[in-house]
Amino acid sequence: MEQKKKNILEMRDINKYFVGAHALDNCCFTLQKGEIHALVGENGAGKSTLVKIMTGVYTDYDGEYLFCGNKVHFQGIKEAQQAGISVVHQELNMMNDLTVAQNIFIGRESKGFFCSDKKLNEKAQKLISDFDIKVKPTELLKNLSVGKAQMVEIARAMSFESTKVLILDEPTAALSESESHDLFEKMENLRKKGISIVFISHRLGEIMKIADRVTVMRDGAYIDTLKVCECKIEEIICLMIGREIIEEPKQRSGVKENAPTVLEVTNLKSSKVKDVSFILNKGEILGFAGLVGSGRTEVMRLIYGVDKKESGEIFVNGVKRQINHSKDAIKYGIGYLSEDRKRFGLMLGLSVMDNIVLPSYTKLSKFGFVSKKKCLSETYRLIKQLKIKTFDTNQIVKKLSGGNQQKVVIGKWLLQDMDILIFDEPTRGIDVGAREEIYIMIKKLINQGNSIIVISSDLTEIVRLSDRVMVMSEGKITGELDISEANQEKIMTLATQG
Amino acid sequence: MNKGERVNQFMKGEGLQKLIAVLALIILYMFFSFFGKYFLTVDTFISILDSSYYIGFLSIGATFVIIAGGIDLSSGTVMVGSALIGGVAYNVWGLPIALSLGIVMLSALIFGAINGLLVGKIGLPPFIATLGIQFISLGYCSVIAKVQTQTYPSLISKDGWFKQFVYKNEGFPMGIIWLILFFIIAWVILNKTVLGRYTYAIGSNEEAVELTGIKSNNWKILVYIVNGFFCGLAGIIYAATYSTITPQTGNGQEMYAIAACVIGGTSLSGGIGSLSGTILGVFVISVLKTGLLSMGLPVQWQQVLIGVVVILAVLMDVIRMKNLKRFSLT
Ligand SMILES: Nc1ncnc2c1ncn2[C@@H]1O[C@H](COP(=O)(O)OP(=O)(O)OP(=O)(O)O)[C@@H](O)[C@H]1O
Ligand SMILES: [Mg+2]
């Protein structure tokens, strides 16, 4: 019996303005009971803004909002929460100095004035084992990896009992494939219980796998809603960016035979890295694959001099170098794009231009005076090249959409002329169109004579980009594959062996 | 958690700084025992305790504020100003001493609430708001006192009973009992209540707290009121200790409180800190003050050395933060 399902949440003709931006332009959205509804669109399309209106973060907007059939206008986060809306916002929103348990139950410690950690820890332990996250409830949040912190935040959102609608804004951006898989299982279970889920992701493959329907947004406007089982990825992309993407054919980048080795690492060891050695040749893109937590980031941090290595040697252009600090690494021409832009990559309170040019001041100044003109022109160039969606070079980075923040980090490094660039999850939170741009840009860098290491949990990305793939598992390198023999299955097998 | 991990976590947190504070305390004590005159006596010990009461209370209040990511530059003048108003109530308005002490508390609570409103409701940066209140309390309380010095009743007079709570009762420093009592109360608030939890949470990441639906601003107001309460207690103790309250004094005392917090491992960037550390910090400062006196050095040297200690403590904080972040910019 085909019965029209009931809409649990409906938004009609929503308009939202920011200074300098019309973020939502007569946007519409309907969510049915018990469905997983994907929301897609380019960086800056307005997805997160829509979510923030749904969840009561933004209270000043025009338009109609129906929840469970009633007209509502939430006057705050608490109201939306009480109505039954739980959310995981795009960026990590956790209290770093509090424990895992304290984070999960913040705001729900107890009914009275007193709260006991013991009870919270017990409750948290149950939740954590349910979710199969390998952390202790008493662990301080700042000691967790990004992926684990993200899992904890998701667990928190899913732990509200009165939840009718769960909104996940790019939850998988910081997760590994296997963690994402676990998450999808949890989402499936919730759907069976009749909970509706809004799911935002730039990984369209995930959406095809898990979602029932997908709504496409472009430039703050509603474009279309499709049934996932009746459409193809290409269709969605086309709606998203208004044109088709032409994927560059996979090809080896310009590594010449017997190209010199620019970076050699031997027997690198630390508490999380077990005897890692590898080389990087000039003009090569070396992919690092593995599960989140397999030690890839840790290896790069040792090379970049932010963590102390127990032993091991680093040769740059054949010369042994002591790298004790990121400053040393930069001096020898090694740049590192962190996987967690909010914590390490950006000065959120400063403008787009400041973020891009600050590290390159020496390059942009004459006799100690910074040339404003040069700064501006370089910034404009990068904004154009990377298609950063900002209305002005003076826009505060915090106000950019997540994906555009990531582009600013990339811009910052592009300006610095590093010989060796380490990209740690370069396309996290970046839409398909822009991702393609970043791939092209990486290839361009190679042609200019740079050498690049790419860490990615996205296997398609690894296979697309790399000339050679190193696979890590539990702090060890478990395999090395040339691109001619690398495919996703082979990498996965290596990544999961102990 | 196995033992190694626990030690590790302890060292990463404010534990290391606390350890250093304990060591500093011991070393200072030994140093002054050698080089100071009559330092290693019961009397000196008691006078060290005596000199730590009002700074102790100020520091307890400051700990709350700093952990919540704020700062209070007005606590010194609020303490003295409130004591001054209490004196006016007793001397000029002729109120009974108990009521006058109540007025000391009330005055400090009001100032605390104003600080809270300026920061939480109006959204001023704490540094600016409390700096303003420093001047206001400094001036306004003197105006109320008509710039007259106020004297509290002496220990032996009829109304002097309240000093017994603070002063030596047959040789026993009673003040320490009150300090311990209120330390315990503050500890319970900070560690076992929702208010304490939110204090840490707000200092750690206020935006995230807001996003969970907690009205962080209201809690901040409460934090400043708690701070006001401890300033009031400090005011009473101050009155009991010094008896004569001079108008337009008290500024600078807040720095001792902030210093005590920092020495004890409370991070000026918020989210991290403990009351036990703060109390250690208070004693480091008291020992330093008393010890330098026993060496016959002029008071100015106290200031110099406390400055040095504070810089060292902040340096520790900075280094610790750096290790935690594990990353520098660019
Ligand atoms: N607080 C703000 N002030 C000014 N402009 C803003 C603010 N927040 C968002 N914007 C702008 O509104 C637009 C929509 O942003 P939003 O964060 O909703 O995009 P998004 O679809 O979530 O993108 P992404 O995929 O990159 O996360 C962007 O152009 C952004 O610059
Ligand atoms: Mg977004």
Side-chain angles (χ1 to χ4, degrees):
Chain A
M1 192 174 66
E2 188 74 30
Q3 198 184 9
K4 201 172 175 244
K5 279 189 188 169
K6 259 189 34 205
N7 287 343
I8 185 162
L9 186 154
E10 201 171 340
M11 311 199 77
R12 291 188 196 135
D13 300 325
I14 304 285
N15 273 291
K16 170 81 191 166
Y17 297 87
F18 292 111
V19 187
H22 188 176
L24 292 177
D25 182 2
N26 283 320
C27 194
C28 301
F29 181 74
T30 53
L31 180 66
Q32 294 174 345
K33 192 165 165 25
E35 72 165 341
I36 297 180
H37 194 137
L39 190 56
V40 299
E42 289 182 279
N43 297 130
K47 304 176 297 290
S48 300
T49 307
L50 192 66
V51 165
K52 284 181 182 160
I53 289 177
M54 285 183 212
T55 52
V57 178
Y58 294 144
T59 53
D60 58 328
Y61 60 90
D62 300 326
E64 229 180 2
Y65 182 179
L66 293 152
F67 187 69
C68 297
N70 304 319
K71 244 171 121 167
V72 289
H73 193 133
F74 294 128
Q75 287 309 319
I77 295 153
K78 197 109 209 176
E79 254 179 50
Q81 225 170 55
Q82 278 160 354
I85 301 180
S86 300
V87 58
V88 175
H89 286 288
Q90 182 169 5
E91 303 289 340
L92 272 183
N93 283 291
M94 307 292 274
M95 281 62 73
N96 272 330
D97 302 308
L98 265 51
T99 66
V100 168
Q102 290 171 346
N103 264 289
I104 290 178
F105 293 105
I106 184 93
R108 299 180 281 164
E109 287 81 2
S110 66
K111 293 210 174 63
F113 192 57
F114 292 94
C115 55
S116 126
D117 271 323
K118 217 173 133 202
K119 246 189 248 153
L120 291 192
N121 287 340
E122 279 166 21
K123 276 204 280 184
Q125 183 60 59
K126 222 186 257 159
L127 196 65
I128 293 169
S129 357
D130 260 7
F131 270 78
D132 221 7
I133 315 172
K134 287 183 191 66
V135 294
K136 294 186 205 86
T138 50
E139 185 86 34
L140 288 181
L141 208 90
K142 60 185 157 208
N143 299 335
L144 302 191
S145 66
V146 190
K148 277 191 182 148
Q150 179 75 69
M151 282 308 276
V152 170
E153 192 172 358
I154 294 170
R156 170 169 81 188
M158 291 188 170
S159 68
F160 286 89
E161 258 153 37
S162 59
T163 302
K164 296 193 188 96
V165 172
L166 176 68
I167 303 172
L168 303 170
D169 194 347
E170 294 195 31
T172 53
L175 299 184
S176 66
E177 217 117 323
S178 71
E179 284 172 320
S180 300
H181 188 78
D182 290 349
L183 172 65
F184 295 153
E185 255 171 38
K186 291 274 152 10
M187 285 165 64
E188 202 64 58
N189 289 341
L190 289 176
R191 166 165 59 184
K192 277 186 199 132
K193 283 193 212 153
I195 292 172
S196 318
I197 300 175
V198 179
F199 176 67
I200 298 178
S201 173
H202 286 296
R203 299 184 184 163
L204 299 179
E206 293 177 352
I207 287 170
M208 301 310 280
K209 200 156 75 190
I210 181 95
D212 299 310
R213 294 196 301 160
V214 53
T215 290
V216 182
M217 289 174 70
R218 195 195 315 150
D219 293 329
Y222 167 86
I223 301 296
D224 204 356
T225 300
L226 308 168
K227 276 208 173 118
V228 167
C229 54
E230 294 169 3
C231 70
K232 285 215 223 56
I233 285 195
E234 290 75 21
E235 247 176 286
I236 301 176
I237 294 176
C238 201
L239 288 173
M240 266 172 72
I241 57 180
R243 63 182 158 88
E244 269 180 73
I245 280 196
I246 306 143
E247 243 189 53
E248 254 194 288
K250 193 173 110 183
Q251 62 180 46
R252 248 168 188 278
S253 39
V255 212
K256 297 190 188 81
E257 280 201 30
N258 9 321
T261 301
V262 284
L263 180 72
E264 181 172 1
V265 173
T266 53
N267 305 97
L268 210 57
K269 271 185 208 158
S270 81
S271 57
K272 283 185 197 147
V273 175
K274 290 167 198 135
D275 202 8
V276 165
S277 311
F278 69 90
I279 57 168
L280 172 70
N281 294 319
K282 189 170 172 62
E284 184 182 40
I285 303 178
L286 180 61
F288 265 77
L291 305 177
V292 167
S294 57
R296 295 166 303 170
T297 297
E298 281 73 20
V299 169
M300 299 312 153
R301 292 167 61 94
L302 294 176
I303 295 174
Y304 192 56
V306 256
D307 289 340
K308 264 213 166 65
K309 53 178 185 280
E310 280 163 18
S311 65
E313 287 167 353
I314 298 169
F315 300 85
V316 184
N317 291 323
V319 186
K320 189 177 163 189
R321 299 290 191 189
Q322 277 302 324
I323 298 179
N324 298 322
H325 190 270
S326 52
K327 239 171 132 174
D328 302 335
I330 290 171
K331 196 168 79 196
Y332 301 130
I334 304 176
Y336 174 69
L337 263 98
S338 165
E339 59 174 333
D340 186 351
R341 57 173 174 268
K342 209 172 179 182
R343 270 198 285 186
F344 307 127
L346 283 172
M347 295 160 269
L348 286 174
L350 295 186
S351 70
V352 172
M353 180 162 96
D354 287 340
N355 268 285
I356 290 179
V357 300
L358 262 180
S360 312
Y361 261 6
T362 35
K363 187 180 148 194
L364 297 169
S365 58
K366 243 190 196 144
F367 313 118
F369 290 99
V370 180
S371 152
K372 182 99 192 260
K373 223 172 94 195
K374 252 194 201 162
C375 287
L376 268 175
S377 69
E378 289 291 329
T379 309
Y380 275 125
R381 181 176 68 80
L382 286 163
I383 287 179
K384 226 172 108 200
Q385 183 185 347
L386 297 172
K387 300 203 168 70
I388 300 175
K389 203 170 169 189
T390 170
F391 82 95
D392 185 320
T393 51
N394 288 325
Q395 174 87 302
I396 307 266
V397 164
K398 200 174 166 177
K399 292 185 175 171
L400 294 185
S401 79
N404 283 301
Q405 292 183 2
Q406 177 73 357
K407 292 184 193 173
V408 172
V409 183
I410 295 179
K412 177 177 100 176
W413 281 107
L414 286 190
L415 197 53
Q416 291 187 70
D417 293 335
M418 293 288 148
D419 294 334
I420 302 167
L421 278 169
I422 304 171
F423 287 86
D424 198 345
E425 306 282 359
T427 58
R428 164 175 301 165
I430 285 193
D431 68 58
V432 270
R435 191 176 308 176
E436 215 53 42
E437 300 290 334
I438 286 174
Y439 294 164
I440 292 171
M441 195 197 68
I442 288 179
K443 300 260 166 168
K444 234 196 232 159
L445 286 171
I446 289 294
N447 291 336
Q448 287 166 16
N450 294 48
S451 316
I452 289 173
I453 295 177
V454 174
I455 299 182
S456 177
S457 303
D458 185 347
L459 290 180
T460 8
E461 181 165 298
I462 287 278
V463 174
R464 270 280 325 267
L465 272 178
S466 338
D467 299 315
R468 205 152 47 92
V469 183
M470 311 293 293
V471 188
M472 284 190 70
S473 170
E474 294 178 7
K476 287 184 296 247
I477 288 186
T478 49
E480 178 182 345
L481 298 166
D482 191 76
I483 198 58
S484 51
E485 49 173 351
N487 60 32
Q488 302 204 9
E489 278 120 50
K490 271 192 196 160
I491 296 176
M492 225 28 214
T493 330
L494 287 170
T496 44
Q497 68 179 221
Chain B
M1 213 186 300
N2 67 35
K3 206 170 151 202
E5 269 177 68
R6 208 178 293 168
V7 170
N8 207 338
Q9 192 146 8
F10 176 83
M11 284 311 200
K12 266 197 219 153
E14 76 264 11
L16 178 63
Q17 180 115 10
K18 250 193 249 178
L19 205 69
I20 288 178
V22 172
L23 283 180
L25 199 58
I26 294 170
I27 290 170
L28 281 174
Y29 216 88
M30 283 179 10
F31 176 84
F32 289 126
S33 307
F34 269 111
F35 296 103
K37 260 190 212 130
Y38 313 118
F39 188 79
L40 206 59
T41 60
V42 176
D43 277 353
T44 314
F45 182 71
I46 286 175
S47 89
I48 289 173
L49 291 183
D50 280 345
S51 67
S52 46
Y53 303 148
Y54 70 87
I55 291 186
F57 284 117
L58 284 189
S59 306
I60 289 174
T63 308
F64 277 82
V65 174
I66 295 175
I67 290 177
I71 191 96
D72 182 9
L73 299 179
S74 70
S75 59
T77 52
V78 165
M79 164 182 79
V80 176
S82 301
L84 196 67
I85 292 184
V88 173
Y90 178 74
N91 295 322
V92 182
W93 306 339
L95 294 181
I97 186 71
L99 218 55
S100 305
L101 296 179
I103 283 184
V104 177
M105 289 305 294
L106 189 68
S107 151
L109 280 169
I110 289 173
F111 278 120
I114 297 175
N115 273 331
L117 289 171
L118 289 178
V119 173
K121 267 261 137 57
I122 301 181
L124 291 183
F127 189 92
I128 303 298
T130 58
L131 185 64
I133 294 299
Q134 181 190 77
F135 283 105
I136 291 173
S137 54
L138 193 67
Y140 188 67
C141 298
S142 309
V143 170
I144 289 189
K146 301 212 167 68
V147 207
Q148 297 295 309
T149 297
Q150 300 298 327
T151 312
Y152 278 84
S154 70
L155 192 56
I156 40 172
S157 75
K158 167 164 89 41
D159 282 343
W161 51 263
F162 80 99
K163 292 193 167 175
Q164 304 242 337
F165 285 121
V166 183
Y167 255 115
K168 297 173 203 96
N169 198 345
E170 303 189 357
F172 186 81
M174 287 296 290
I176 195 69
I177 300 222
W178 295 106
L179 192 60
I180 290 170
L181 181 70
F182 280 100
F183 170 81
I184 291 171
I185 291 174
W187 189 89
V188 170
I189 295 176
L190 191 59
N191 294 290
K192 295 284 167 204
T193 70
V194 181
L195 172 61
R197 180 65 44 80
Y198 294 171
T199 305
Y200 280 102
I202 290 169
S204 183
N205 186 350
E206 190 176 348
E207 212 180 312
V209 172
E210 275 284 324
L211 281 179
T212 58
I214 296 164
K215 292 242 155 48
S216 61
N217 283 337
N218 295 350
W219 291 97
K220 270 199 273 183
I221 296 175
L222 213 55
V223 165
Y224 279 94
I225 292 177
V226 167
N227 178 39
F229 176 80
F230 283 102
C231 291
L233 288 177
I236 293 179
I237 303 275
Y238 190 85
T241 313
Y242 290 105
S243 284
T244 33
I245 316 289
T246 324
Q248 285 185 299
T249 55
N251 43 343
Q253 301 291 353
E254 69 280 345
M255 286 302 161
Y256 289 118
I258 295 169
C261 293
V262 174
I263 292 170
T266 298
S267 163
L268 286 173
S269 33
I272 301 171
S274 69
L275 283 165
S276 51
T278 295
I279 289 298
L280 277 173
V282 169
F283 284 121
V284 167
I285 290 179
S286 299
V287 167
L288 208 56
K289 275 180 161 182
T290 318
L292 289 170
L293 271 180
S294 77
M295 286 178 71
L297 286 174
V299 182
Q300 286 74 6
W301 276 107
Q302 284 182 22
Q303 292 165 341
V304 172
L305 269 173
I306 287 170
V308 171
V309 170
V310 168
I311 289 175
L312 286 179
V314 174
L315 202 67
M316 291 285 312
D317 187 35
V318 170
I319 291 169
R320 198 178 61 216
M321 276 308 178
K322 235 200 213 137
N323 284 340
L324 269 183
K325 272 199 199 122
R326 299 173 292 191
F327 239 86
S328 55
L329 285 173
T330 73

